[in-house]
Amino acid sequence: MEELRLAAMAYYRNSSREFQDLAANFFKAMDTNGDGRVSFDEFTSFLRQHGYNWVKTDMFSQLDANNDGSLDFWEVMTFYYIIKTRAVWCDGCRMQLHGLHFICVACFDGGHNSYDLCARCYGGRNFSHHHNLFLDSYVLLRSKRGISPGMNVDLVCIAQAVSQPHTGNHSTGRNRWFRAMELAVNVGNLLNVGNVVGCSVM
């Protein structure tokens, strides 16, 4: 949560005055008694009144970084940042995903609804999905580096090595996965020569 709080502060401090006013109004709407703090009752009442039924009330204690039983401005801004940017759930255990997670490459590249998994569900294979190519959110972002609009890039090809038939050799399987990840991270460099028209992983 600390990383999210720092991100929220950074966005706020570098945003326009208009955005800062919207964020301040968000805080005021939650702080109904105007004491500059948001109590648990104010927090839960705000969730009910504004349709944030998907937010679990235990998030209050997660946001309360100094454990003083109320939320200050920056703790509320962390919540504002989360609801605006982290409305993503694990398709395995349905836990809300706040940080690094795994994304189905085929669904992401095909423009369909994303299929997302927490590291625990992906690592434990606690999911059932018709694709089997996944990259974590950081690696997937790196894989898009250098891709310009209109460029025909198939991320499925970047991770194609993962879908090779499993031979039972665990070492080979690990090497295949790391090779796919390495290609994804370095795809920006590969694209400098022009459009990717085929799959070179095979």
Side-chain angles (χ1 to χ4, degrees):
M1 191 64 73
E2 176 64 12
E3 188 175 31
L4 294 175
R5 187 182 71 84
L6 292 174
M9 292 173 66
Y11 273 116
Y12 180 87
R13 289 171 173 165
N14 288 282
S15 65
S16 67
R17 180 66 183 180
E18 181 182 7
F19 175 84
Q20 291 180 356
D21 288 343
L22 286 172
N25 288 335
F26 182 87
F27 178 80
K28 291 175 183 176
M30 193 178 291
D31 178 24
T32 54
N33 66 4
D35 66 351
R37 312 288 301 181
V38 173
S39 68
F40 179 77
D41 288 341
E42 287 175 322
F43 180 76
T44 54
S45 176
F46 180 87
L47 297 182
R48 289 193 304 270
Q49 292 176 10
H50 293 82
Y52 294 113
N53 300 322
W54 52 270
V55 177
K56 295 182 179 180
T57 55
D58 63 0
M59 183 178 283
F60 182 89
S61 59
Q62 297 175 43
L63 293 167
D64 184 14
N66 57 5
N67 296 311
D68 66 353
S70 62
L71 305 181
D72 63 22
F73 179 78
W74 291 118
E75 289 166 342
V76 171
M77 286 303 97
T78 304
F79 175 67
Y80 184 73
Y81 173 69
I82 288 171
I83 64 174
K84 294 298 183 183
T85 66
R86 296 297 192 275
V88 180
W89 288 264
C90 173
D91 286 294
C93 65
R94 302 309 301 166
M95 178 183 72
Q96 188 178 7
L97 300 171
H98 292 163
L100 191 74
H101 60 280
F102 287 83
I103 302 171
C104 172
V105 175
C107 291
F108 182 89
D109 195 39
H112 307 299
N113 292 333
S114 65
Y115 190 87
D116 308 277
L117 294 168
C118 67
R120 189 181 301 276
C121 283
Y122 181 65
R125 302 195 62 79
N126 178 33
F127 65 95
S128 176
H129 189 55
H130 53 286
H131 299 135
N132 63 352
L133 309 177
F134 287 82
L135 291 174
D136 72 62
S137 48
Y138 176 79
V139 172
L140 189 62
L141 175 64
R142 294 284 291 176
S143 75
K144 300 295 283 185
R145 181 186 60 192
I147 299 176
S148 58
M151 188 172 282
N152 180 25
V153 179
D154 187 355
L155 288 180
V156 175
C157 284
I158 295 169
Q160 187 70 46
V162 184
S163 67
Q164 300 292 324
H166 184 48
T167 62
N169 186 326
H170 293 292
S171 177
T172 300
R174 285 196 299 268
N175 290 338
R176 183 181 299 130
W177 191 90
F178 281 111
R179 174 63 176 154
M181 183 173 66
E182 181 181 292
L183 287 172
V185 172
N186 292 310
V187 69
N189 295 330
L190 297 175
L191 293 172
N192 288 334
V193 296
N195 290 0
V196 175
V197 295
C199 183
S200 59
V201 179
M202 302 299 288

